[in-house]
Amino acid sequence: MVERTIAPALTGVAASEASTSGVTWSAIIAGGVAAAATALILLVLGAGLGLTAVSPWANSGVSATTIGVGAVIWLVITQWVSAGLGGYLTGRLRTRWVNVHTHEVFFRDTAHGFLAWALATVISAALLTSAISSLVGGATTAATNVLSGAAQGAAQGAAQSAGTASDPTAYFVDMLFRTEKPPAAASPQDLRAESSRILVRALGEGDITPADKTHLAQLVAAQTGLSQADAEKRIDDVIAQAKAAAEKVKQAADAARKAVASLALFSFLSLLIGAFISSAAAAFGGHERDEHETLYASKIR
């Protein structure tokens, strides 16, 4: 036969406790603020240590891979320490629950630790967003001031060009007026503009057409004095170099994409670990508080 314990009628402290919320926001706020401050301190320390390890000189300082691994490890350590401290303070500072089952106490402590971690995460995200916005805003203002003068000078040069790369018909207009021999009266600026449009189209399509190559070689030969064959060889070399440069840009972009993806995944993992540690630390802190109060009460008796 299974024994059942019938709960007595709620009176006094139990009745008062049943009418209030089980969430102690004061302890959650205290733990969350402590966790956010600790995370900020550790992040500043990590940034300082990272800057001391890098060097602008070639073949000196640690490699980028080492810096990346160290940053990930420090990010996890920051979450562990800050979340553990914030969760423990939340558990120790919360109000003791009287006449509450131990399983319910454990759940509440765990929930308080999770809420403290969530508050700390929101505070940290708000601070980082504000700092990044300020840095980006300052950099944008500085870049605008620097480029404004250059833009004024470039506007005059751009206005003098008959066709630009932004005009989708400029390349086809050039084809309408092509001749087997470039006119001697053509200005070098016009020839360079037409050559630029041919190269842009060739790189966009992956290769240059025979007709464009022949015409471009004529323009190069007219300006440089090279033979047609040598001009075509120079065109092949330039296009090969341009393709190699474009390939390097793609590789750099792909490496940046992988780095950002790895950082996002490790950030998710560190935050998940932080939530678990904060919850466990709050349960541990609450358990210690209850044990100390029970021991103190027994000594008084």
Side-chain angles (χ1 to χ4, degrees):
M1 182 176 182
V2 180
E3 295 182 359
R4 293 186 301 173
T5 302
I6 301 176
L10 296 177
T11 59
V13 177
S16 176
E17 188 175 273
S19 62
T20 59
S21 173
V23 180
T24 307
W25 282 108
S26 56
I28 292 173
I29 294 174
V33 171
T38 304
L40 179 61
I41 293 173
L42 292 177
L43 286 176
V44 172
L45 176 61
L49 294 176
L51 290 176
T52 58
V54 298
S55 175
W57 309 107
N59 301 323
S60 62
V62 298
S63 63
T65 303
T66 304
I67 288 293
V69 173
V72 170
I73 295 175
W74 189 258
L75 182 63
V76 175
I77 293 175
T78 299
Q79 272 292 313
W80 283 1
V81 176
S82 61
L85 177 62
Y88 181 79
L89 290 177
T90 301
R92 288 301 297 266
L93 296 177
R94 56 93 173 155
T95 304
R96 183 183 183 186
W97 296 296
V98 184
N99 295 330
V100 178
H101 196 278
T102 55
H103 294 314
E104 180 65 19
V105 172
F106 178 79
F107 171 78
R108 291 186 183 184
D109 283 332
T110 303
H112 277 61
F114 178 80
L115 291 175
W117 166 84
L119 178 62
T121 302
V122 172
I123 294 175
S124 301
L127 292 176
L128 289 176
T129 301
S130 177
I132 292 174
S133 299
S134 299
L135 291 175
V136 172
T140 303
T141 302
T144 301
N145 294 334
V146 172
L147 293 177
S148 58
Q152 294 176 357
Q156 182 178 3
Q160 294 176 354
S161 299
T164 61
S166 60
D167 186 0
T169 63
Y171 171 79
F172 300 100
V173 172
D174 292 337
M175 294 181 65
L176 291 175
F177 295 95
R178 283 183 182 178
T179 59
E180 295 183 359
K181 185 177 181 180
S187 65
Q189 291 79 7
D190 293 339
L191 296 179
R192 287 177 176 269
E194 183 181 359
S195 301
S196 177
R197 289 188 287 269
I198 295 175
L199 289 176
V200 168
R201 184 176 180 84
L203 294 176
E205 295 184 351
D207 201 359
I208 188 171
T209 62
D212 286 345
K213 185 177 180 179
T214 300
H215 180 69
L216 184 58
Q218 292 174 352
L219 298 179
V220 173
Q223 291 294 310
T224 61
L226 295 173
S227 64
Q228 183 74 11
D230 292 338
E232 291 183 358
K233 183 179 182 302
R234 177 175 293 185
I235 291 172
D236 292 334
D237 294 339
V238 170
I239 291 179
Q241 294 176 9
K243 288 182 178 180
E247 186 65 24
K248 289 182 179 179
V249 171
K250 291 181 180 179
Q251 292 176 357
D254 187 61
R257 176 190 62 82
K258 293 179 179 179
V260 172
S262 299
L263 179 61
L265 292 176
F266 281 112
S267 298
F268 164 77
L269 180 61
S270 65
L271 289 173
L272 191 64
I273 293 174
F276 173 78
I277 291 179
S278 181
S279 302
F284 177 72
H287 178 70
E288 280 199 336
R289 170 194 167 95
D290 293 343
E291 277 195 345
H292 291 171
E293 289 192 356
T294 301
L295 181 60
Y296 179 74
S298 64
K299 288 183 179 180
I300 292 179
R301 296 194 192 97

